[in-house]
Amino acid sequence: MPQLDFSTFAPQIVWLVISFIALYFLMSKLALPRIATVLETRRDRIASDLDEANRLRTETEEVIQAYEAELAEARAKAHSIATEMRETLNADIAEKQAEIDAQIDARMGEAEARISAMKDQAMGEVSAAAVDTADEIIRKLVGGKPAKAAITKAVAAARGN
Amino acid sequence: MATEHATAGHGGEAAAFDPMHQFEIKRLIPLEIFGIDASFTNSSLFMVVAVILISGYIIFSMSGRALVPGRMQSVAELGYEFVANMVRMNIGSAGQKFFPLIFSLFMFVLVLNMIGMIPYTFTVTSHIIVTFALAIVIFLGVTLVGVVIHGFGFLKFFVPSGVPALLLPLLVVIEVISYLTRPVSLSVRLFANMMAGHTMLKVFASFVVGLGFLGGWAPLAFMVAFTGLEVLVAFLQAYVFAILTCIYLNDAIHLH
């Protein structure tokens, strides 16, 4: 078993000590600080990036809130303008309606008056025609000259029925 | 593959099939410093390779220092986060100053184990002396940390609370023994796993050759599956080594 060859112990120990001490110093003075610096830089960078992201998010939230407040205000304003407009228009419409109604009423009255005048006139003419017709009929049937006043009276009496 | 080696009793033919041959230490550059044999061996070579691989990879992949990492950088960061989480979970904030140590340990063992999975390489962690040296240093270091933080209070670690006074001496002895066996279990676990796995692979590989074209398929299929398992073990043992170090440190810092 070569492991138990005592003559090889000394050189192995000597070189173990040399190489391990060399490794230890290379690691602790050169290699590990490099890695540690890089890791630290990265950690700081990530932390600062997260902070920045948080800051931006709160900023965004503030902006959104401001925007929503403005939106609500604008909506309320629009609503009030619409209401006002509607009221004005309604009043306007009612006024015009009344005007037009009055006009229509006036024309209706006028037309009615004309119609009743025409009716009266027509009726008068009908009476005259009746009197004339009756006069003619009596003259032909009876002969002679009938009393105009009596016929007129009789026609008026007939119309009264 | 070298046919001559130190183990006696094998001919040149047998060496290729000797499953322990792969653990042979070869002195590439014989060297002696202050009377100590410090030869640059194949083991040393792979330790140095591991150090260069780990450091080179991290330094190269992190050279861009990109905010959004690429693939290479992601892997480096993944390793960092993995060990950092391990330390945080097991030790807490007090463990931060041990993080480079745990990271180096984990990466060192992991890369050495993984390099060992490549054919014709050498598995440094399959040598008990290497794992034991690491474990004993961890053990002594952890004990030192405990003593520095708690002073004599560290001895309370060996006295379990809420135990009848009669049983206390026995339990203290057991606690001390279990504490002292920590470096042994830590080192043997890693070494034995690595050695057993590689020996097994080598044995089955020799079956493939021995049984030839007709019969070799069964052990080959087994080897493919077993190699997958070995990769898992290589990772798992590095993880266990690191996490046990964390747990020991936590015991020393917080005195369970």
Side-chain angles (χ1 to χ4, degrees):
Chain A
M1 209 167 158
Q3 279 89 340
L4 298 178
D5 181 0
F6 294 105
S7 70
T8 66
F9 281 14
Q12 289 194 76
I13 292 176
V14 168
W15 282 96
L16 175 68
V17 169
I18 293 172
S19 50
F20 192 77
I21 289 177
L23 181 69
Y24 181 78
F25 276 101
L26 281 168
M27 290 298 110
S28 60
K29 300 282 173 238
L30 216 61
L32 295 179
R34 281 192 183 199
I35 304 181
T37 325
V38 168
L39 291 180
E40 196 133 320
T41 314
R42 184 175 310 146
R43 205 168 303 140
D44 289 353
R45 176 68 186 275
I46 288 172
S48 79
D49 280 4
L50 279 178
D51 284 354
E52 177 74 7
N54 266 333
R55 197 183 60 73
L56 287 176
R57 200 178 54 193
T58 44
E59 217 167 78
T60 312
E61 268 165 12
E62 271 165 25
V63 169
I64 286 174
Q65 269 173 3
Y67 160 78
E68 265 167 9
E70 247 167 64
L71 193 69
E73 198 181 309
R75 227 177 244 148
K77 216 169 174 183
H79 188 71
S80 74
I81 288 174
T83 320
E84 205 175 289
M85 201 62 159
R86 200 177 299 127
E87 273 164 12
T88 320
L89 285 177
N90 279 346
D92 222 19
I93 287 169
E95 194 181 307
K96 287 230 166 92
Q97 184 94 46
E99 203 174 295
I100 287 167
D101 279 354
Q103 263 177 32
I104 288 171
D105 281 353
R107 279 203 192 163
M108 288 268 267
E110 217 172 276
E112 263 167 22
R114 224 161 59 206
I115 287 167
S116 70
M118 278 164 93
K119 206 169 135 190
D120 286 354
Q121 195 188 333
M123 277 312 196
E125 274 167 20
V126 166
S127 296
V131 170
D132 282 353
T133 309
D135 184 47
E136 203 72 20
I137 288 167
I138 292 166
R139 208 173 293 186
K140 288 245 171 108
L141 288 178
V142 185
K145 205 173 174 336
K148 198 144 193 173
I151 292 166
T152 308
K153 209 175 168 184
V155 166
R159 275 188 66 194
N161 293 337
Chain B
M1 193 174 254
T3 44
E4 81 261 74
H5 58 97
T7 359
H10 292 286
E13 268 294 294
F17 292 113
D18 176 8
M20 296 315 244
H21 180 250
Q22 57 177 320
F23 303 121
E24 211 69 50
I25 298 279
K26 300 186 195 75
R27 287 177 174 74
L28 304 176
I29 307 168
L31 201 69
E32 198 164 310
I33 303 168
F34 306 124
I36 300 167
D37 182 5
S39 305
F40 191 77
T41 62
N42 51 350
S43 171
S44 326
L45 174 65
F46 283 104
M47 289 187 206
V48 172
V49 165
V51 171
I52 292 171
L53 270 181
I54 299 166
S55 316
Y57 181 84
I58 295 179
I59 291 166
F60 174 71
S61 67
M62 296 305 294
S63 60
R65 290 183 173 84
L67 200 62
V68 178
R71 283 178 216 163
M72 300 265 281
Q73 194 183 324
S74 286
V75 172
E77 287 176 12
L78 204 71
Y80 183 97
E81 294 279 13
F82 181 72
V83 180
N85 275 333
M86 193 198 297
V87 172
R88 207 171 12 246
M89 294 291 175
N90 288 292
I91 315 182
S93 57
Q96 280 312 305
K97 51 180 172 293
F98 300 107
F99 171 66
L101 178 72
I102 305 287
F103 186 84
S104 309
L105 254 180
F106 175 68
M107 284 300 162
F108 193 59
V109 175
L110 178 70
V111 170
L112 287 177
N113 289 354
M114 287 300 178
I115 290 176
M117 290 310 299
I118 302 167
Y120 294 107
T121 57
F122 179 83
T123 316
V124 178
T125 43
S126 68
H127 273 259
I128 180 72
I129 186 63
V130 172
T131 60
F132 188 73
L134 280 175
I136 199 79
V137 169
I138 291 167
F139 174 77
L140 293 176
V142 165
T143 311
L144 194 68
V145 167
V147 170
V148 165
I149 293 179
H150 302 286
F152 278 109
F154 185 59
L155 291 174
K156 273 188 289 194
F157 179 74
F158 301 108
V159 186
S161 54
V163 167
L166 200 66
L167 278 175
L168 209 56
L170 182 66
L171 283 170
V172 167
V173 170
I174 291 174
E175 285 283 336
V176 170
I177 291 173
S178 87
Y179 188 76
L180 292 178
T181 53
R182 275 176 174 186
V184 178
S185 66
L186 189 61
S187 57
V188 169
R189 184 182 299 112
L190 176 58
F191 142 76
N193 267 288
M194 287 299 115
M195 190 191 72
H198 283 77
T199 309
M200 190 92 149
L201 279 176
K202 188 62 187 262
V203 167
F204 275 86
S206 68
F207 286 172
V208 177
V209 178
L211 292 171
F213 189 73
L214 286 176
W217 295 101
L220 183 65
F222 177 81
M223 268 189 76
V224 170
F226 196 71
T227 304
L229 182 71
E230 275 304 294
V231 171
L232 181 72
V233 168
F235 172 79
L236 211 64
Q237 287 306 319
Y239 178 67
V240 167
F241 202 86
I243 210 159
L244 281 174
T245 307
C246 286
I247 290 170
Y248 295 164
L249 267 171
N250 182 47
D251 282 349
I253 294 169
H254 298 121
L255 289 185
H256 64 130

